Amino acid sequence: MNNDIYVLIEHVRGQIADISYIMLAQANQLAPSTGGKVIALLLGQGAQGLASDLAADRVAYIDHPALAEFTGEATQRVLADILARETPRLVLMGDTTIGSDVAGMLSARLNLPLVSACRAIRVEAGCLAFTSQTCGGKMMADGVLPTGTTLVLMVPGAFKPDQGRAAKAPAVETLAAPDLGGLRVSLKQYNEPASEDVDITREAILVGVGRGIQREDNLELAQELAEALGGVVCATRPVVDQNWLPTTRLVGKSGKTVKPKVYIALGISGAPEHSESITGSEMIIAVNTDAAAPIFDMAKYGTTIDLLDLLPVLSEKVRQAKSG
Amino acid sequence: MKIAVPVQFVPDLVEELIVDAQGNRLDPYAIRWILNEFDDHAIEQAVILKEKGGADITVIAPDFEGADDALFAAAAKGADHLVKITADYDGGINAHALARLFAPILDGLKPDIILTGVQAHSSLDGSAGALLAETLGLPYVGYVSGIDAAGGKATVRKEYPGGLTAILDVTLPAVFGIQAAETPPRYVPITKVRQAMKTNQIDEESQDLDLSGGLEPARMYPPEVGQRAAMLEGDIDDVAEKIAAILSDQGIL
Amino acid sequence: MEGMNPLALPSEMGEAAIAILGDSRLRGCIQCGTCSGVCPFGFLMDYPPVRMISAVRSDTFQRVLTSDAIWMCVACSACTTSCPTQIPLTENLMTRTKEELILAGSVPAELQSALENSQRYGNPLGESPRKRTDWLRGIDAMVPVMGKDTRQADVLWFVGDYASYHTRVQPGTRTFAMLLNRLGVNFAILGQEENSDGDSQRLAGERGLFELLAEKNGRAFRKYKFHEIITTDPHAYNALKNEYPKLGISYPVRHYSEFLAGMLDQIRPMLRREVKARVAFHDPCYLGRINDIYDPPRALLQAIPGLTLLEMPHFRKTSLCCGGGGGGMWLDGFSWEKAHIRLSEWRVQEAVQVGADILAIACPYEAPRFEDATKTVKKAEHLLVRDICELLSDAMEAVV
């Protein structure tokens, strides 16, 4: 076994996901202790250009038409081929709608241990220790990674994406793709999100609604506040699943990551699938009747007053302050 | 079309989570098990497919407390066959173990489509569906929120980061990790569940549990609340005033 | 049935639809429309009771089933009470229709959560059953719990969901506990073994759920010895008195106002402090109109020195529903969307109109509903909402 750390680079439609840079930062922090190199795995078709700012010792690039768009099956086959020859210390993948598919398949195929929802890996007493989150963010789990090649699915933790970006382009080594015939999964088309809708990733003021909004008609109250503030309403998964807001407004693991100046979280518990996508907010104000909700661990200010009671009064005060 | 829905149970977060005396797992006596929400969606999606074009649905659950109720509720919604797996669960459960429990049953059943919740909040070793698919040698697509199937092929909608979704073609048989059913899980009236209890049987299978592949934590603990929010006190009016003042300070107003 | 023959006799029409609804008493309807006139939301329903019956007769009931107006019904029984041919409209028409809708899978999302919570957690609020006795924390009273502290008592106090869990109702619950102590009543509660009485779930159309909850409570009751059940919740009172016996669960039961009124001789000398206020009493639907209990609450209020009891224009049998019954507690957003008024506001307006300082209540649904209304109704900011037992406690000297 070598001591290298592999990082699977996630990219969709020419955009590299932040989690890829975060994982590179984590890998770079560990590599000196494992005594290996950080190798970014970049799969695609004509995608070499994406390697330019990856903070890795080198990039292993695999080019193939079947890799033009991500499918778990094709990616998994390529990685399995590489891992049949190489035995790195760790393979880091994003705990996302991309990485999570791949890691599970690889673990079963190659009989490699898998740890998910991992926020951080560190060296402790000569071992690699991990911290993962579980139970909707209400519990943390610490443990020791086994000594063989281990797959780790990572979520954003202490590292910021900038820490994984390189000023100088790394060396790129092109590897031959394995046989990718007989694939059973193929991407037909992307669904463009409604283009007339706002881009919440560009908004400075966001009013986020979660399950606590209870009913579709209560959204009106949130819209009023957003309007009064000159911001926009966004939502967590349950709200979007009910079709109360379009998916373009979804903030979370399978939605968008936002970095507003102010994020007002209404009736949002703060479970990781959502909270990991708002950590970039300058300030979070949380409204939730459950004093133990995890959202209060990341908000700057909070209140347990019922949002349905608070909103009309708050909107009015905002309007007054703006006009007065 | 044959559909199988393997499901699992997770700790109900309405109840307080208590770490056991050894400090490395949840106290099993304090846990109240609830059907994994994403598996509830998987059952719903199976029923939707049945309503769209006919299907024979088998729901498979490990024998946790409440398994019978969950299975009969699934039958009341439209599941045709119910299977419960008994094993020694005292040492805990993980995604790898679940995949191994389900695999032999699915091998025998040979369904066209396997639907299972894409994730479980208590998992520390990834998605049972992905592990299961590879064990069975079947293709896997996770984070699926819509399915149409006909003639040995499925067309699914998969979620990508950033709110993007894509349509994928998949040759069957295949495993899909369900993120959300096309419509939210329906309500099932108690009278229908009771009827289901009279007209349905739960088949039991016994198996050994193999937890390898997942890791046992050394320590579990609630997250540190070092930087907890400053809670605003007062009545509705007071709090609204305070928030307005905070926003004003931030230059928002 | 093809076509509609408006000249055919009522008894010949809509046999099929009547059979579906299973009640031939609907045939006695003379289509006077009184039911829909007194219905607090009748003006908003596209199918108020009178039109529902004519739809049954003309075999067009399917249209009713596709309308969602039925969910505006708060099971207040104003219609039932005023029907000249005495058709039991609330239960046999309104609730029965809701049952059909639920069986067909058409359930408003808010209501679905309340029903699922009731089944899983034994209360519609979705709180852990282990927290059902959290209201006891820090209480300055002895509250024995059956099974834990004792296996028998003179009186079993059935506390109820909102009284146990809702932060606005818990203070009243604690006050009642202290009152029972001061009166030396030998009582106990079921604690975490208590499940929702299920009455509002029943009226919202989930009969199966009601039976499940009743069976659980019945099993708990059977384990212990007591002479009667008292309850601070008129919905629980209605269930225990009128519905549980049909399932073989039968105990003497009184609403707490009856229980305390029976102890007035003992209570009166304890009421030493004046409560100088003009107090309007709101007759809860499930105590008053449906169970004919109007005087005991008034007797208690009138025993309080300094208190002036007022009647509002709608009182006793004509009392205005707070909007919480029949599932209304869990369809607030739904009915707001349709009505843009809340029944509780109407009631609070009346209290203001008669010059009341305090609106006295005797049902746990009412505290949060009326208090919310005092914030939105003009000139109601000063109006206090107090449970009768809180007023009685106010009138007693503090225990040293």
Side-chain angles (χ1 to χ4, degrees):
Chain A
M1 185 184 76
N2 65 53
N3 296 311
D4 292 340
I5 303 177
Y6 289 6
V7 177
L8 176 65
I9 302 300
E10 279 192 20
H11 60 96
V12 177
R13 307 209 320 176
Q15 286 273 80
I16 296 183
D18 277 350
I19 189 67
S20 305
Y21 294 110
I22 291 172
M23 290 190 292
L24 286 171
Q26 168 77 86
N28 281 305
Q29 197 216 39
L30 289 175
S33 313
T34 66
K37 298 264 181 274
V38 175
I39 302 176
L41 302 174
L42 182 64
L43 283 61
Q45 189 187 33
Q48 304 92 312
L50 293 175
S52 60
D53 68 349
L54 298 174
D57 292 305
R58 91 170 170 275
V59 176
Y61 175 64
I62 300 95
D63 191 292
H64 192 286
L67 297 173
E69 309 297 343
F70 167 77
T71 63
E73 194 187 21
T75 298
Q76 184 254 128
R77 282 230 212 144
V78 173
L79 262 56
D81 179 63
I82 294 173
L83 293 172
R85 297 191 300 274
E86 311 287 349
T87 49
R89 180 67 185 86
L90 299 174
V91 181
L92 306 183
M93 289 169 277
D95 200 339
T96 65
T97 62
I98 288 185
S100 168
D101 284 8
V102 175
M105 290 190 269
L106 272 180
S107 172
R109 184 176 182 138
L110 302 174
N111 218 4
L112 297 173
L114 169 59
V115 173
S116 58
C118 178
R119 288 174 61 90
I121 306 171
R122 58 191 173 277
V123 180
E124 244 171 45
C127 302
L128 288 181
F130 71 90
T131 297
S132 288
Q133 63 198 17
T134 180
C135 294
K138 290 190 170 185
M139 272 290 159
M140 305 298 286
D142 283 357
V144 175
L145 295 176
T147 47
T149 302
T150 304
L151 309 175
V152 185
L153 284 170
M154 300 212 67
V155 295
F159 292 101
K160 299 274 173 270
D162 281 342
Q163 295 169 286
R165 277 187 240 270
K168 205 171 75 123
V172 177
E173 182 196 348
T174 304
L175 304 180
D179 174 20
L180 289 177
L183 289 172
R184 300 159 293 180
V185 179
S186 66
L187 191 141
K188 238 166 73 162
Q189 68 186 62
Y190 287 104
N191 294 325
E192 299 298 336
S195 49
E196 327 92 42
D197 199 16
V198 290
D199 181 357
I200 54 176
T201 62
R202 298 233 166 104
E203 295 288 328
I205 301 167
L206 286 175
V207 175
V209 295
R211 252 188 249 260
I213 201 80
Q214 283 174 47
R215 293 194 36 81
E216 187 169 9
D217 334 296
N218 293 333
L219 273 180
E220 225 169 58
L221 297 170
Q223 309 271 27
E224 267 176 42
L225 179 62
E227 260 163 45
L229 289 168
V232 152
V233 175
C234 60
T236 63
R237 175 104 242 158
V239 172
V240 169
D241 277 350
Q242 302 261 36
N243 286 317
W244 296 349
L245 281 173
T247 45
T248 44
R249 304 292 184 106
L250 176 62
V251 176
K253 186 165 170 151
S254 45
K256 302 199 173 147
T257 298
V258 294
K259 307 169 220 268
K261 225 173 153 198
V262 173
Y263 187 87
I264 303 187
L266 304 172
I268 292 175
S269 68
E273 299 81 50
H274 175 76
S275 63
E276 69 189 32
S277 307
I278 60 175
T279 51
S281 314
E282 273 180 48
M283 178 169 75
I284 300 171
I285 302 176
V287 181
N288 193 311
T289 51
D290 176 8
I295 191 77
F296 291 123
D297 295 331
M298 51 185 326
K300 185 145 187 226
Y301 298 100
T303 170
T304 52
I305 297 214
D306 193 327
L307 67 96
L308 300 176
D309 291 330
L310 182 63
L311 283 176
V313 181
L314 179 56
S315 298
E316 188 50 41
K317 292 209 187 277
V318 167
R319 282 189 284 264
Q320 281 168 12
K322 279 197 148 177
S323 62
Chain B
M1 185 169 57
K2 244 201 226 170
I3 304 179
V5 187
V7 303
Q8 61 174 300
F9 297 91
V10 296
D12 189 344
L13 300 181
V14 163
E15 307 291 348
E16 214 187 315
L17 301 172
I18 301 174
V19 181
D20 82 352
Q22 282 169 285
N24 73 337
R25 64 174 192 157
L26 292 177
D27 182 350
Y29 292 105
I31 295 178
R32 209 163 153 221
W33 298 105
I34 188 169
L35 178 67
N36 179 21
E37 185 183 350
F38 296 100
D39 288 327
D40 199 18
H41 279 260
I43 293 171
E44 184 67 28
Q45 184 64 57
V47 175
I48 290 171
L49 282 170
K50 184 177 182 179
E51 287 168 347
K52 275 195 212 181
D56 184 88
I57 302 173
T58 302
V59 179
I60 308 161
D63 187 13
F64 276 50
E65 195 181 342
D68 285 12
D69 285 342
L71 287 169
F72 286 125
K77 290 184 187 181
D80 302 285
H81 312 284
L82 310 172
V83 179
K84 195 166 70 163
I85 307 174
T86 51
D88 179 9
Y89 297 112
D90 282 345
I93 190 104
N94 64 30
H96 285 75
L98 282 165
R100 292 187 191 103
L101 284 180
F102 295 136
I105 297 174
L106 294 166
D107 240 347
L109 194 60
K110 302 222 182 307
D112 301 291
I113 293 181
I114 298 170
L115 301 178
T116 189
V118 69
Q119 57 187 335
H121 63 62
S122 49
S123 170
L124 288 169
D125 63 336
S127 160
L131 293 162
L132 177 63
E134 194 58 30
T135 307
L136 295 171
L138 299 179
Y140 175 76
V141 180
Y143 297 90
V144 166
S145 56
I147 304 178
D148 278 303
K153 200 179 80 155
T155 305
V156 304
R157 182 173 66 221
K158 177 185 164 70
E159 316 242 327
Y160 278 70
L164 191 61
T165 62
I167 307 292
L168 286 87
D169 279 341
V170 186
T171 28
L172 299 179
V175 180
F176 300 115
I178 300 297
Q179 164 86 30
E182 280 158 40
T183 47
R186 65 197 67 192
Y187 180 71
V188 58
I190 304 289
T191 34
K192 286 204 164 166
V193 179
R194 288 190 160 182
Q195 264 166 14
M197 286 179 180
K198 297 197 188 107
T199 56
N200 289 78
Q201 280 270 76
I202 297 179
D203 293 327
E204 281 191 34
E205 297 231 1
S206 184
Q207 287 193 40
D208 290 324
L209 204 64
D210 178 357
L211 295 166
S212 54
L215 291 187
E216 196 178 23
R219 186 168 87 100
M220 281 190 88
Y221 54 98
E224 272 101 46
V225 287
Q227 287 189 320
R228 210 171 153 71
M231 299 302 284
L232 305 170
E233 301 297 332
D235 67 13
I236 297 173
D237 211 76
D238 295 332
V239 172
E241 276 290 350
K242 289 181 185 177
I243 295 178
I246 290 166
L247 294 171
S248 187
D249 285 342
Q250 283 286 103
I252 304 283
L253 298 185
Chain C
M1 276 187 71
E2 274 195 303
M4 294 175 264
N5 182 352
L7 299 177
L9 292 169
S11 59
E12 284 165 348
M13 285 185 183
E15 290 291 348
I18 289 176
I20 290 170
L21 293 174
D23 195 343
S24 59
R25 277 178 289 182
L26 293 177
R27 288 186 207 161
C29 172
I30 57 175
Q31 291 279 290
C32 66
T34 306
C35 53
S36 312
V38 295
C39 171
F41 279 135
F43 67 102
L44 286 167
M45 299 177 177
D46 41 1
Y47 284 97
V50 63
R51 289 199 66 202
M52 286 173 72
I53 294 180
S54 67
V56 168
R57 289 175 171 180
S58 60
D59 217 8
T60 54
F61 199 71
Q62 263 318 106
R63 294 187 202 163
V64 177
L65 292 175
T66 52
S67 149
D68 60 1
I70 187 69
W71 299 111
M72 298 298 291
C73 168
V74 290
C76 71
S77 271
C79 55
T80 306
T81 318
S82 60
C83 174
T85 51
Q86 294 177 321
I87 303 170
L89 290 161
T90 307
E91 305 232 355
N92 292 51
L93 181 66
M94 307 309 274
T95 292
R96 192 68 187 80
T97 303
K98 293 175 190 175
E99 280 174 27
E100 289 299 316
L101 283 171
I102 289 187
L103 284 171
S106 169
V107 189
E110 270 176 290
L111 179 60
Q112 179 171 344
S113 312
L115 296 175
E116 284 170 346
N117 288 336
S118 300
Q119 199 227 323
R120 182 171 174 81
Y121 303 109
N123 67 83
L125 302 110
E127 298 281 353
S128 165
R130 293 175 202 168
K131 296 189 179 159
R132 204 173 177 101
T133 45
D134 276 8
W135 62 273
L136 286 174
R137 292 224 189 112
I139 194 175
D140 203 7
M142 285 273 300
V143 182
V145 177
M146 289 290 201
K148 254 183 32 171
D149 306 309
T150 180
R151 298 198 76 82
Q152 62 185 40
D154 282 346
V155 164
L156 177 71
W157 171 20
F158 188 93
V159 182
D161 305 315
Y162 288 83
S164 303
Y165 290 110
H166 199 294
T167 45
R168 277 172 173 154
V169 187
Q170 285 170 337
T173 314
R174 285 190 274 265
T175 302
F176 187 68
M178 294 190 273
L179 210 53
L180 289 176
N181 275 192
R182 292 188 71 158
L183 294 171
V185 176
N186 174 283
F187 76 100
I189 63 173
L190 284 179
Q192 292 175 20
E193 284 187 283
E194 185 185 281
N195 275 268
S196 178
D197 56 89
D199 211 43
S200 293
Q201 292 89 331
R202 175 181 68 87
L203 290 158
E206 241 290 36
R207 170 152 285 277
L209 176 58
F210 167 73
E211 289 176 3
L212 179 76
L213 292 164
E215 282 160 26
K216 287 189 178 177
N217 282 325
R219 278 197 288 274
F221 292 153
R222 274 196 295 277
K223 283 159 67 168
Y224 309 112
K225 282 173 97 130
F226 48 90
H227 297 128
E228 73 168 315
I229 302 178
I230 64 170
T231 179
T232 37
D233 186 335
H235 297 271
Y237 172 77
N238 186 62
L240 291 163
K241 182 146 175 55
N242 300 317
E243 301 298 326
Y244 277 39
K246 296 176 192 168
L247 300 171
I249 306 164
S250 189
Y251 296 89
V253 59
R254 284 194 278 177
H255 182 252
Y256 88 89
S257 61
E258 299 178 287
F259 180 75
L260 292 180
M263 298 176 78
L264 255 180
D265 287 341
Q266 185 189 344
I267 293 176
R268 223 184 297 265
M270 298 166 78
L271 304 173
R272 296 245 182 85
R273 290 156 84 182
E274 278 209 331
V275 176
K276 265 191 111 109
R278 295 160 60 80
V279 177
F281 175 63
H282 167 78
D283 291 285
C285 303
Y286 277 80
L287 192 64
R289 185 162 40 246
I290 289 158
N291 283 293
D292 274 318
I293 296 171
Y294 302 109
D295 295 317
R298 286 172 170 78
L300 291 172
L301 289 169
Q302 277 162 333
I304 295 176
L307 190 149
T308 308
L309 183 61
L310 306 171
E311 296 293 354
M312 292 179 278
H314 288 88
F315 71 116
R316 289 183 176 250
K317 203 155 117 158
T318 60
S319 177
L320 289 174
C321 181
C322 74
M329 213 53 179
W330 316 310
L331 284 163
D332 197 57
F334 177 89
S335 82
W336 171 254
E337 179 57 17
K338 289 213 179 278
H340 289 290
I341 56 142
R342 288 197 167 92
L343 296 183
S344 45
E345 292 171 2
W346 192 355
R347 188 40 134 184
V348 162
Q349 256 162 24
E350 283 211 344
V352 169
Q353 193 187 327
V354 299
D357 304 307
I358 297 178
L359 180 57
I361 60 173
C363 170
Y365 284 8
E366 294 162 3
R369 298 184 80 78
F370 289 146
E371 277 186 359
D372 281 348
T374 60
K375 294 172 194 153
T376 50
V377 171
K378 280 203 201 78
K379 301 191 191 164
E381 318 81 33
H382 71 285
L383 185 70
L384 292 176
V385 178
R386 305 279 279 160
D387 194 288
I388 292 180
C389 70
E390 291 179 304
L391 292 170
L392 285 172
S393 173
D394 289 345
M396 294 184 180
E397 270 163 358
V399 178
V400 177

